[in-house]
């Protein structure tokens, strides 16, 4: 399913700067696509929140990703949302794909997303410039991968034929050679990519040379990270680009709800790691408060002080 930019930005742009009240006992978490770790993490978080507050109705809402989540949270259509730091920075500054600033805070930095540019193992493509003239899926419209993908292609100065597919469709398209590469932003390993690897074999392209120009243009929202060998079947470690993943609240979410959410993040951190994940990229209590480019919500900051001093 693809949405127009107008569709997924309309709500956010209409309500920038406004405040909303959370429905009593209802917490909707704007997550991501089926098969991705946004959804898996959100389900674990929802379960732990219900365990702490059994009367709460905590729902996980599947979406196309970060940009859509920002729109929904800003519009009060979700109480919590997951977003990449670069998408949040764009929203706060009113940069592309947003056309007006949206004042949002954060509750915590929960884990690192790894940009995974995937080709078939039997492909002759070894570098990003090799994709010139080929079809590449740069994530679903409304996703953080789509935002990042556009920036990456611009930094690489390579001409590709851009498609925007949700993960399941992108995997099918790569399997059937309808695209020659797909970009995915997620944890390690991503189950849908592991399944594709087992079926046809995949390789990840090294993105190390694009980290410096991206940081120069967009700031320190992009990290130098390594995908270990044998994350998928390929034994070669790959350098790629990491982007912090943040949990954000709707502007009108109540302070008690925010405090409870932060307590869950701190006290139940070890239970918020999807089973299949390589645990190194996941929630670290010491880094929760590092929510740049957004400030901590005041109620969250107070709860961290109460819990950790």
């Amino acid at each position: 399913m693809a949405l127009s930019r107008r569709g997924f930005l309309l709500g956010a742009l209409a309500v920038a700067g406004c405040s909303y009240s959370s429905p009593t006992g209802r917490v909707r978490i704007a997550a991501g696509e089926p098969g991705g770790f946004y959804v898996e993490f959100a389900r674990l978080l929802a379960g732990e929140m219900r365990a702490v507050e059994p009367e709460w109705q905590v729902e996980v809402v599947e979406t196309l990703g970060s940009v859509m989540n920002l729109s929904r949270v800003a519009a009060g259509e979700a109480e919590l949302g997951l977003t990449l730091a670069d998408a949040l920075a764009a929203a706060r500054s009113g940069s592309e794909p947003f056309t007006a600033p949206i004042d949002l805070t954060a509750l915590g930095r929960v884990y690192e997303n790894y940009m995974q540019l995937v080709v078939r193992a039997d492909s002759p493509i070894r570098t990003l410039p090799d994709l010139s003239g080929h079809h590449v899926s740069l994530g679903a419209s409304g996703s953080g991968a789509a935002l990042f993908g556009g920036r990456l292609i611009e930094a690489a100065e390579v001409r590709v034929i851009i498609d925007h597919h949700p993960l399941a469709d992108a995997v099918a398209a790569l399997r059937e050679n309808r695209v020659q590469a797909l970009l995915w932003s997620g944890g390690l390993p991503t189950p849908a990519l592991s399944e594709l690897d087992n079926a046809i074999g995949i390789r990840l392209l090294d993105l190390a040379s694009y980290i410096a120009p991206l940081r120069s243009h967009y700031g320190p929202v992009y990290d130098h990270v390594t995908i270990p060998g044998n994350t998928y079947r390929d034994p070669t470690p790959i350098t790629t680009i990491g982007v912090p993943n943040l949990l954000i609240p709707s502007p009108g979410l109540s302070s008690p709800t925010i405090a409870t959410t932060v307590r869950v993040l701190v006290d139940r951190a070890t239970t918020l790691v999807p089973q299949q994940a390589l645990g190194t990229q996941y929630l670290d209590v010491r880094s929760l408060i590092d929510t740049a480019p957004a400030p901590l919500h005041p109620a969250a900051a107070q709860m961290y002080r109460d819990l950790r001093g």
Side-chain angles (χ1 to χ4, degrees), residues 29 31 36-52 58-61 80 82 110-111 247 261 264-265 267-277 282-283:
I29 307 174
F37 280 2
Y38 271 20
V39 167
E40 294 305 313
F41 175 82
R43 286 173 179 159
L44 293 172
L45 178 61
E48 295 298 336
M49 291 174 69
R50 285 191 291 263
V52 171
V58 187
E59 308 167 23
V60 175
V61 180
L80 298 172
L82 292 163
V110 291
Y111 61 88
L247 183 66
T261 304
V264 168
L265 292 175
D267 291 348
R268 307 198 175 208
T270 58
T271 68
L272 297 176
V273 182
Q275 262 189 334
Q276 68 271 27
Y282 274 86
L283 187 148

Side-chain angles (χ1 to χ4, degrees), residues 12-124:
L13 300 181
V15 302
C18 296
S19 180
Y20 291 82
S21 297
S22 170
T24 302
R26 186 183 189 193
V27 179
R28 296 161 293 182
I29 307 174
E33 298 179 49
F37 280 2
Y38 271 20
V39 167
E40 294 305 313
F41 175 82
R43 286 173 179 159
L44 293 172
L45 178 61
E48 295 298 336
M49 291 174 69
R50 285 191 291 263
V52 171
E53 297 286 352
E55 72 278 10
W56 283 8
Q57 182 185 353
V58 187
E59 308 167 23
V60 175
V61 180
E62 293 181 357
T63 71
L64 294 177
S66 294
V67 176
M68 181 179 286
N69 293 350
L70 286 160
S71 173
R72 292 194 175 188
V73 168
E77 295 170 359
E79 284 65 52
L80 298 172
L82 292 163
T83 183
L84 294 176
D86 58 347
L88 181 55
R92 285 177 53 81
S93 66
S95 303
E96 178 71 22
F98 300 91
T99 58
I102 306 172
D103 187 17
L104 292 169
T105 59
L107 301 188
R109 170 177 174 161
V110 291
Y111 61 88
E112 190 89 0
N113 264 32
Y114 288 65
M115 295 299 172
Q116 301 170 64
L117 186 56
V118 183
V119 299
R120 296 171 62 103
D122 59 4
S123 170

Side-chain angles (χ1 to χ4, degrees), residues 121-293:
D122 59 4
S123 170
I125 292 165
R126 297 287 170 177
T127 67
L128 182 49
D130 292 341
L131 285 168
S132 180
H134 291 292
H135 285 268
V136 180
S137 176
L138 295 181
S141 297
S143 69
L147 171 64
F148 172 82
R151 293 177 174 183
L152 177 66
I153 294 301
E154 183 178 350
E157 299 181 338
V158 59
R159 293 181 178 274
V160 300
I161 303 167
I162 296 174
D163 296 335
H164 287 294
H165 296 298
L167 178 59
D169 293 346
V171 165
L174 186 62
R175 183 196 295 258
E176 297 162 10
N177 274 315
R178 290 184 284 112
V179 300
Q180 283 65 61
L182 70 84
L183 179 68
W184 172 248
S185 168
L188 300 177
T190 294
L193 296 182
S194 294
E195 292 171 9
L196 181 64
D197 188 32
N198 291 332
I200 65 168
I202 62 172
R203 281 187 290 106
L204 304 182
L205 300 189
D206 193 294
L207 300 179
S209 60
Y210 306 106
I211 297 171
L214 284 167
R215 286 177 66 92
S216 176
H217 194 82
Y218 297 105
V221 289
Y222 297 120
D223 300 324
H224 182 288
V225 295
T226 298
I227 297 178
N230 297 309
T231 295
Y232 302 106
R233 288 191 295 169
D234 189 341
T236 308
I238 293 294
T239 301
T240 190
I241 299 166
V243 186
N245 187 67
L246 306 174
L247 183 66
I248 58 172
S250 178
L253 190 61
S254 70
S255 293
T257 301
I258 288 172
T260 297
T261 304
V262 168
R263 183 179 290 277
V264 168
L265 292 175
V266 173
D267 291 348
R268 307 198 175 208
T270 58
T271 68
L272 297 176
V273 182
Q275 262 189 334
Q276 68 271 27
L278 299 176
T280 54
Q281 78 268 22
Y282 274 86
L283 187 148
D284 182 337
V285 171
R286 294 168 298 178
S287 64
L288 271 168
I289 61 173
D290 181 13
T291 58

